[in-house]
Every structure is written in C-alpha cells, then in structure tokens.
Amino acid sequence: MSVYITTPIYYVNAEPHIGHAYTTIVADTYSRFQRLRGQRVRFQTGTDEHGDKIAEAAAREDIAPRAYADKISGKFRAAWPLLACKPDNFIRTTDPAHIALVRRILQTVYDKGDIYFDSYTGLYCRGCERFLTEKELVDGLCPDHRAAPREIAEQNYFFRMSKYQDKLVSHIKKHADFITPVRYRNEVLSFLSEPLEDLCISRPKSRLTWGIELPFDENFVTYVWFDALINYLTGLGYPDDKNFHEFWPTAEHLIAKDILKPHAIYWSTMLMSLGVPLYKKLHVHGYWNNEDAKMSKSLGNVIGPQELVESYGLDPFRYFALREMSFGLDASFSREAIIARRNSDLANDLGNLFSRSLSMAEKYVGLIVPVPVADESEIDHELREAAVAMLAAYNENMADFRFHRALQAVWELVSHANKYIVTVEPWALAKDEKQKPRLDTVLYNLCEVLRLLTLVLRPVMPDTSAKMAVALGYAPDDEAVASLPVGGRWGVLAVDQRLRGCPALFPRLEVAKAQEKQSEGSIQVKAVKHGDESQAGETGQDIADFRKFDIRVVEIVAASRVKKSDKLLRLTVLAPDERIIVSGIGQYYAPEELIGRQVLAVCNLKPAKLMGITSQGMILTARDDADGREWLALSTVMAPVAAGASIS
Ligand code: ME8
C-alpha cells in the first residue's frame, strides 16, 4: 500500500519555529512509521510564497519579494534535517511547474463556468488574507489577529463554492474519518449548516502584484489560497505523472486548527469542481503555546528548531513534542516540561532499563544472548503479554495519529520491564549455579524487550533507536529492528547474538536558570557538570580547600540493607584498605547491583554512627529532582582503575 502525507506549506513571512517543527515532526514520524510497516511513502512539505503578507515582509526589509522568499524558504529547507525530518519533496509556490499548474487549473475551472466576475464589498483581514463574514468577528475584530478588518469594495473573480456545499456535507457525513479528531469534523459541519458564500479568488494588480496572474485576465493575480492548496497536486505531477495515480488516492493532509476552513472547505470544493476525487483524510492538531502564552514574534517568545535541538537534544525534543501534545488539543511548551520528560521518561525509565539490562548481560552471560528455557514462569508470561499488548496499542494509535497514546503504551512496557528486574532479582539468580537456566531466560526476555523498544521507537527517535540497535548487535537497518512485519512480534532476537553493550542514551540535563536569555525568550540548558569553574566565579573556593578532602575511587565488595531502614545500605569497600561506608542510596539501588562497582567516596571524614553502624566515609552521588522526584545517581569512573585511586 502507499501513503501520501503532507504538511501545510509554510508562509515565508517568518522563520521556522516550534509550531512548524511540530507539524513537520509529526509528518516525518508518521512517514517513518508507515515505512516501518512496509508501506511506500511520499512525504511532502514546502513554502507558500505569494500574497500580501510576503510582499509586506519583503518591503519591510527593502528587498524584492522573490529574493526575500528565496532567503526564508532556504531557512525552512535547512531546518528539517536539523530535526531529522526527511521529506521526499520540498515544494515552493514560486516553482515554474506550480505556477503553470495553478494557471491551468484556474482556466479549467473558469471554462467550466465555476468562476465568475462580480463586484464586491467586504471586510478584509490582512492577517488571514481573506474576507471575513460579520459573524466571524468578535467585537468587530478578527478573532485571530485582533485587528479590525478593512472594508474593501472592488470587482473580483469568484469561485462558485456554494454550488458544492451539499455534496461536501454529504461526503463528510458519509466518511466518518475524513476530518479528525471529531471535534474539527463537527466544527466544519456546524459551519456548513449555514449557507456557504462563494469565494473571492482574485486580487486586482492595483492592490497586489506578488502573485500568479489569472490566465483569463492579466489585471488580476490569484488569491493566495487558490494558489497554495494546489501544491498538493503539483508535488505529485498532476494530472499525468505516475506519482499522482499512485499517491493521490491515499492523500492525508496534516494541519493545525488555524487553517481548517481552507482545507476542509475551499480545497474540497476546488477538487470537486476539477473532478478530482477528494483527499482521504485531514488530520488537525492543536496549537503550541509557550508557557501558556500565545507565541508571537512581538512577544519575543518564538523558539526556533536549532535552538530546540541545541538546548535539549534532537531525539528528546521529538519525543517531547509527540508525547506532550494530545493530538487535536492545545499544548504548552516549557523548559521544565521538556527537561522533566527527558530526565524521567528517557534517562530514568528507558535509559536505565537499557543500561541495567545490558550491564547484567555483560556481567552474567558475556554479552551473548542466552537460550531462554521453554517452561516460562508466570512473571515471564506477563512480560511477554505486556510486550504483545504494547505492539497492538502502538500500531493502532500511531496509525490514527494518537502519538501520545502510542508512546504511553510503549512506556507501560518500559516500566513493566523495570519492575520485572526488581522482582526477579537477576543478581540473586546469578549467585546460584542451579538457577542458570532461569537467569538466561530472564536476560533473554530483557534483551527481547529492548529489541522491541528499538523497533517501535525508530519513527519517533531515529538516532536513539539506531544507537540501541547497534548496542544490541544489529545493523541499524536490520529487519528485526526496522520492520514491523518482520520484527513486530515476540521471540525474534536470535540466541547467541553478540551484544555490544551500551553508552548512556540520555545524559541528564539541568536548567541553567542563571543563563536563561529571557529577553530573547530563548532557553539555555546544559549538561550537569560538577566543579564548573564558570559557576564559582569571583566568589569561588580556593583549590587548597578542595584538596582537604580525600576523594578516592572505592570498589564495593559487599552490600546489604541496614535493618529497619529503607534508605541505608551497608557497603564494604576497598579504598584500598577495607572499610565500611553507610550510604543513603537504598531507594535507588539494590545491594546486589552494586557488587564489583567502582564509585567515588570521601575517605577522610570523621567516622559517623548511622543506625548503630560506624561509617568511614561518604559515597558521592548526583542528586536530581528536576521532575519533582528525587533520584540519586552514583558517581563513578569511565574506566576501571585501581581501588583507592585518588581524585584530583
Ligand atoms: O497557514 N502550534 O502557513 P503558516 C502548532 N501558508 N502548529 C503551528 C503553530 C503553533 N503555535 N504555528 C504554526 C499557512 N503552526 C499557509 C498554509 S497550506 C496549503 C498553506 C503550523 O506559515 C501548523 O501546521 O502560517 C499550522 O497549520 C501551520 O504551521 C501554519 O503555517
């Protein structure tokens, strides 16, 4: 089967921002998902370059509209690779092929008698680039642009939109998922319950020259929407190209709620007049606000793609965008929200599952996928069922543009697998030779969960998924991690496969509040760095003070819980002398996980008594509570060193 997915073509009167980024990431994720299912996909985006708004923006910069359009269109084109968005076609309305097709279609519709000349007086909103009806105004103003429309009286050409009203209503009623989510379908039906006016589709050249000239009257240019919507056909080589025949019947348009009417009504009736079957679906999403305020250039709170990626990382931003917005509703962007998602969902839940599982596979089976035993226990069965349920929910929700639900389902499996580890305690199984088959089964199951996660996250976080694939010993395009028909079931991971082990998938982030460039509305975030000199500044401490502390790498050789305490662990460490350290990490680490680990500890503190045990030092941890849940991460060294090595 084939899939044709389009984004709106964006106006070149402003640079790309988070709103454009979101729509394009959704289209890209959907294309990748459909490819993962084995479909042939065509994904198109581009820029909308004619009309009042562009002419005005160019005039403000004192350059010709075409040169201005070239500059901004180039910025859109350059933005998408930064977000790992890979459109198959990038269309511009100034492309000669597009201009030729718009003129050809205008002529066809005109010859058919669906365009007529008339005089007209109307209320024109420059922001919307269209005449508004009295009913659309709120307190005499355009509700979107909060400006009073101008009364304009002029002669113009009109498209007989009203002629197709009944046909459109019955099409929408007959095809329940023509416009989704349903609230937007209802909005369109409610609008169509009143008589539809014909659409003014020309602008006299005396008022606007930056547009496509009407083929039947050189004194007029085409209204920008009659020009822009046709891009969806131009991009397929309508009417003769094989792409048109293959992809048009599958067309799915993706837009935000701001441009519902032109797509649902203008475009559908234009297609009816042309005699071209309607597109298959219109997917409508809500609006991103910045910290609950509308984003606008004048408020200085517009965030560009480059800044987003530099601040948060590419995949965390893609994940956040898809997970945070319930498709169809508005959502709010904030630095706290994205960092919380990154630290909690990605670093804590997914990252930990991955590194824990692979480090156990390294320790217990030398990174070779072990043979699972046939008679699995109840808990293994539940894990497998959870994986199967995730696949079903994922497939259904991704196909229906409910990305947040699909990701919720994926994270249910992540947390199920994390609980599985805590319950089965692989480290305890490893102590008993008789439990070897059980341990092998557990490790197989965990690696198989990791493989399935790698597969389903591929459309959402392509870079991370590729890293995960390599860590599991796959080439990134291996069908086990790159094809749902092949890999989308339990048990595909081959026994004896050599795993490679895993780097940290998501280094944790903190908000560097002091460095926020509030005035520019931009956000600065940096990786956690201890002892960062820039933070010490003028009031910094003397290095001699730091040297007073004897910080060493210590090796944990034994660990147990301190009785009657959730938090405290009794650790026997080599520093290199053997000593006991009591540490408050019991809620975050199981004692068994720690044996053999090298961590940092302060070794010359006065001995302290904790729950009756004398502690001869303090283990160093990084505390993170960015998402409101405290998490302590043990500090460690990147390569093994001799126990007792000092830190300087
Ligand atoms: O309307 N939240 O172009 P445009 C979510 N050229 N999405 C947003 C957004 C926000 N705050 N801001 C913009 C046009 N978008 C026409 C389209 S199509 C034939 C012609 C996204 O540059 C969203 O997809 O104003 C919205 O529909 C689109 O950008 C509007 O882009």
Side-chain angles (χ1 to χ4, degrees):
M1 231 189 76
S2 307
V3 175
Y4 179 39
I5 176 78
T6 66
T7 72
I9 47 170
Y10 305 113
Y11 283 130
V12 292
N13 65 337
E15 299 193 4
H17 60 65
I18 184 175
H20 308 119
Y22 174 73
T23 315
T24 314
I25 286 173
V26 167
D28 181 78
T29 302
Y30 186 67
S31 337
R32 288 174 189 262
F33 165 68
Q34 292 294 1
R35 289 199 174 99
L36 205 67
R37 289 173 112 187
Q39 316 289 32
R40 278 170 55 81
V41 178
R42 193 168 167 89
F43 158 25
Q44 176 169 299
T45 187
T47 44
D48 188 355
E49 306 185 8
H50 292 122
D52 275 341
K53 280 198 230 224
I54 318 300
E56 272 176 18
R60 273 198 300 275
E61 292 205 5
D62 202 19
I63 51 177
R66 174 66 206 225
Y68 178 77
D70 286 349
K71 183 175 93 172
I72 308 286
S73 177
K75 293 198 177 186
F76 276 93
R77 193 190 286 267
W80 306 141
L82 294 177
L83 295 170
C85 293
K86 286 191 175 164
D88 300 293
N89 195 25
F90 185 97
I91 192 164
R92 300 183 55 184
T93 53
T94 47
D95 289 341
H98 177 73
I99 294 173
L101 183 63
V102 171
R103 287 169 60 84
R104 178 177 168 163
I105 288 178
L106 278 163
Q107 190 67 55
T108 308
V109 176
Y110 183 72
D111 291 346
K112 194 176 169 183
D114 278 350
I115 291 175
Y116 61 91
F117 195 58
D118 202 0
S119 55
Y120 184 74
T121 305
L123 297 167
Y124 187 77
C125 170
R126 268 182 178 265
C128 298
E129 295 216 20
R130 65 182 179 90
F131 289 96
L132 304 180
T133 59
E134 291 278 2
K135 267 181 89 178
E136 284 178 282
L137 305 184
V138 176
D139 300 331
L141 304 180
C142 162
D144 288 340
H145 298 93
R146 306 227 173 272
R150 204 154 51 103
E151 189 172 286
I152 293 184
E154 62 191 17
Q155 289 200 306
N156 263 313
Y157 287 89
F158 291 82
F159 168 52
R160 289 187 202 283
M161 204 153 71
S162 55
K163 179 173 156 188
Y164 298 99
Q165 177 166 9
D166 293 345
K167 205 173 159 191
L168 178 57
V169 170
S170 69
H171 184 88
I172 298 173
K173 288 192 171 157
K174 212 162 123 199
H175 300 87
D177 58 358
F178 179 59
I179 302 169
T180 58
V182 69
R183 70 174 60 80
Y184 297 109
R185 176 178 188 260
N186 293 341
E187 195 177 314
V188 172
L189 282 174
S190 137
F191 185 80
L192 288 173
S193 64
E194 303 279 326
L196 191 58
E197 287 178 13
D198 288 342
L199 181 68
C200 175
I201 53 135
S202 66
R203 299 289 179 262
K205 278 192 182 166
S206 54
R207 188 149 72 78
L208 174 76
T209 53
W210 180 237
I212 299 175
E213 191 180 285
L214 294 183
F216 42 82
D217 191 335
E218 61 181 20
N219 296 314
F220 290 83
V221 294
T222 321
Y223 169 46
V224 68
W225 275 104
F226 206 94
D227 159 357
L229 290 160
I230 290 171
N231 90 85
Y232 301 129
L233 290 179
T234 316
L236 294 181
Y238 168 83
D240 301 320
D241 198 292
K242 65 175 180 16
N243 277 332
F244 172 70
H245 298 292
E246 176 180 354
F247 289 105
W248 182 252
T250 73
E252 298 181 58
H253 298 315
L254 170 64
I255 58 167
K257 61 186 185 181
D258 56 333
I259 51 177
L260 175 60
K261 205 180 292 171
H263 281 80
I265 301 175
Y266 304 176
W267 183 222
S268 302
T269 51
M270 282 165 72
L271 288 165
M272 284 174 175
S273 171
L274 258 183
V276 172
L278 298 198
Y279 52 86
K280 199 167 115 198
K281 283 184 184 178
L282 182 62
H283 302 278
V284 189
H285 65 75
Y287 246 50
W288 280 97
N289 298 318
N290 189 353
E291 312 250 3
D292 293 325
K294 210 174 158 154
M295 272 186 290
S296 81
K297 231 177 169 176
S298 51
L299 287 176
N301 61 356
V302 175
I303 311 163
Q306 181 149 4
E307 206 177 326
L308 289 165
V309 171
E310 280 172 5
S311 299
Y312 308 107
L314 165 62
D315 280 352
F317 174 62
R318 285 179 66 112
Y319 170 76
F320 169 82
L322 294 163
R323 176 66 187 80
E324 192 77 8
M325 180 176 259
S326 299
F327 193 89
L329 302 178
D330 290 354
S332 180
F333 179 88
S334 75
R335 68 188 76 84
E336 285 80 14
I338 183 167
I339 291 173
R341 284 249 174 247
R342 190 194 149 108
N343 284 350
S344 130
D345 299 9
L346 299 181
N348 274 3
D349 299 344
L350 176 65
N352 256 348
L353 173 66
F354 216 76
S355 64
R356 264 173 139 185
S357 306
L358 284 180
S359 74
M360 288 192 290
E362 181 170 9
K363 212 158 150 192
Y364 304 136
V365 290
L367 287 176
I368 304 288
V369 174
V371 185
V373 290
D375 53 338
E376 57 178 12
S377 71
E378 184 60 26
I379 192 167
D380 302 332
H381 181 72
E382 281 169 11
L383 181 68
R384 190 154 51 86
E385 294 282 285
V388 172
M390 178 281 283
L391 284 168
Y394 170 85
N395 276 309
E396 190 191 326
N397 286 307
M398 291 289 282
D400 287 343
F401 279 68
R402 288 188 295 264
F403 305 99
H404 63 294
R405 291 260 182 85
L407 289 170
Q408 253 165 13
V410 174
W411 257 257
E412 271 163 31
L413 178 63
V414 169
S415 89
H416 193 118
N418 271 323
K419 284 191 196 122
Y420 177 80
I421 296 179
V422 174
T423 314
V424 297
E425 302 193 318
W427 45 88
L429 300 176
K431 282 190 195 141
D432 181 355
E433 192 49 36
K434 285 205 294 285
Q435 296 283 7
K436 176 82 169 91
R438 182 88 201 97
L439 177 62
D440 284 355
T441 306
V442 166
L443 292 176
Y444 180 90
N445 290 347
L446 286 172
C447 291
E448 181 59 346
V449 166
L450 298 187
R451 184 193 64 79
L452 286 170
L453 293 173
T454 307
L455 174 70
V456 297
L457 289 175
R458 189 177 162 94
V460 176
M461 297 194 284
D463 284 2
T464 303
S465 165
K467 258 196 225 168
M468 290 162 71
V470 169
L472 291 173
Y474 289 109
D477 288 333
D478 191 299
E479 287 188 317
V481 286
S483 157
L484 275 166
V486 174
R489 61 195 167 80
W490 184 266
V492 169
L493 178 67
V495 164
D496 280 348
Q497 167 142 323
R498 173 162 275 288
L499 308 168
R500 295 243 184 94
C502 183
L505 291 178
F506 305 101
R508 303 171 73 80
L509 291 178
E510 71 178 14
V511 184
K513 287 220 160 79
Q515 294 185 5
E516 281 166 27
K517 289 194 272 167
Q518 290 285 17
S519 56
E520 291 166 31
S522 81
I523 292 153
Q524 290 278 308
V525 173
K526 59 183 202 163
V528 177
K529 244 200 220 166
H530 293 288
D532 185 339
E533 281 150 7
S534 65
Q535 289 180 354
E538 303 263 281
T539 57
Q541 304 299 322
D542 197 292
I543 187 82
D545 290 330
F546 171 74
R547 297 227 166 93
K548 286 181 190 157
F549 294 96
D550 179 17
I551 304 176
R552 297 191 209 162
V553 179
V554 301
E555 188 163 323
I556 302 172
V557 290
S560 58
R561 292 199 178 275
V562 172
K563 274 192 196 134
K564 294 191 196 148
S565 168
D566 291 339
K567 286 192 180 167
L568 298 182
L569 297 187
R570 179 184 192 275
L571 308 175
T572 309
V573 304
L574 300 181
D577 56 311
E578 188 175 308
R579 61 174 75 197
I580 304 295
I581 297 182
V582 178
S583 176
I585 53 173
Q587 286 168 306
Y588 311 103
Y589 293 92
E592 294 81 356
E593 271 184 288
L594 299 175
I595 316 284
R597 295 256 178 206
Q598 292 197 318
V599 297
L600 303 186
V602 186
C603 290
N604 61 343
L605 296 176
K606 282 188 197 133
K609 259 203 169 161
L610 294 160
M611 303 286 277
I613 305 167
T614 304
S615 177
Q616 295 170 290
M618 183 176 82
I619 302 289
L620 296 183
T621 57
R623 198 177 79 222
D624 170 40
D625 46 18
D627 57 357
R629 284 190 285 156
E630 187 189 62
W631 165 260
L632 293 184
L634 280 171
S635 58
T636 181
V637 279
M638 284 185 73
V641 294
S646 61
I647 301 297
S648 52

